[in-house]
Amino acid sequence: MKIAAKMFHHCNFCERNCGVDRKNEKGSCGVGNPLIASEFLHVGEESLLVPSHTVFFAGCNFNCVYCQNWDISQQPTRGIIIDEKNLALIIEKRRNEGSRNVNFVGGDPTPNLHYILRTMQLVRENIPVVWNSNMYLSEDAMYLLDGFVDLYLTDFKYGNNECAQRLSGVPNYMEVVGRNHKMAWEAGNMIIRHLVLPNHVECCSKPIIKWISQNLGMEVMLNIMGQYHPVYRAEEYAEISRLPTYTEIGEVIDYAKDLGFNNLI
């Protein structure tokens, strides 16, 4: 808790390492005080997680031109302030209504790490924590999550740094996200999501799946997702301005099966 509070005042929650005092100014994510865009019992997540109490934060440390949640991720002021005590009460209420976990998402939860830790310290029940993230955390932040998170629900987007920089404005993607996936896999349970982008099967989807097979093994749960649709600024980028084809999605799934993945969702 104390370490997270210190990090907040010289912010390095994510690998961008802005170093700003978030009490007085905002970093590249644009997040000041944590704002909740929505919270509800979600039944649309992976079947073993639902009903999942999803807490959506406004703002994100990525700037994905095709973000499927762009209305909250790219508008960090679009939410309401709920203090830690009241959010803890809401989490307990949702637990009594049948939630199997509390699922911190966004946007991305990373800019709100200090607030999440303080909130869960006030929750009186033992509720599993799902960290639903793009995994661009700093190494220091990953150490804070070790022992706190019960399941990492990760978003592994790209198989190379060039696509990450061009489509999400993120440097050193593979090094950072790769490191954090290794740390998360050693620390606890994990489900990796991969959204298939049109025209990115060879440069992203297959390299990601190959990387997972070589670095994490075949037992990790892998959810290959085909629900991409061009929103936000996607039409400005010709190769992602359409839906992925059934052939593209099937090719990625078949590739994972051929490599020997045992837990495809």
Side-chain angles (χ1 to χ4, degrees), residues 131-145:
W131 191 262
N132 191 337
S133 172
N134 58 38
M135 297 302 287
Y136 200 69
L137 296 86
S138 68
E139 192 169 7
D140 288 341
M142 287 297 298
Y143 283 125
L144 289 181
L145 291 181

Side-chain angles (χ1 to χ4, degrees), residues 56-74:
F56 283 83
F57 289 96
C60 187
N61 53 350
F62 276 23
N63 297 295
C64 303
V65 298
Y66 57 87
C67 180
Q68 308 292 285
N69 286 337
W70 67 271
D71 55 331
I72 61 171
S73 72
Q74 302 307 305

Side-chain angles (χ1 to χ4, degrees), residues 95-112:
R95 181 67 159 178
N96 291 332
E97 293 172 349
S99 71
R100 299 181 67 179
N101 50 71
V102 57
N103 183 343
F104 295 110
V105 64
D108 200 86
T110 301
N112 309 288

Side-chain angles (χ1 to χ4, degrees), residues 42 44-50 52 54 56 101-109 129-137 145 149-156 181 184-185 188-194 220-223 225 265:
H42 200 333
E45 303 285 67
E46 285 78 358
S47 59
L48 72 165
L49 299 179
V50 298
S52 179
T54 47
F56 283 83
N101 50 71
V102 57
N103 183 343
F104 295 110
V105 64
D108 200 86
V129 172
V130 175
W131 191 262
N132 191 337
S133 172
N134 58 38
M135 297 302 287
Y136 200 69
L137 296 86
L145 291 181
V149 171
D150 294 283
L151 183 137
Y152 292 88
L153 183 57
T154 79
D155 182 10
F156 210 152
H181 272 81
W185 183 237
N189 298 311
M190 177 188 291
I191 298 174
I192 298 177
R193 290 172 168 174
H194 172 62
V220 63
M221 288 189 179
L222 181 59
N223 186 359
M225 307 171 75
I265 299 176

Side-chain angles (χ1 to χ4, degrees), residues 6-20:
K6 289 181 179 179
M7 290 171 68
F8 177 74
H9 291 291
H10 192 272
C11 193
N12 68 322
F13 287 149
C14 87
E15 195 69 25
R16 291 187 186 276
N17 194 21
C18 295
V20 302

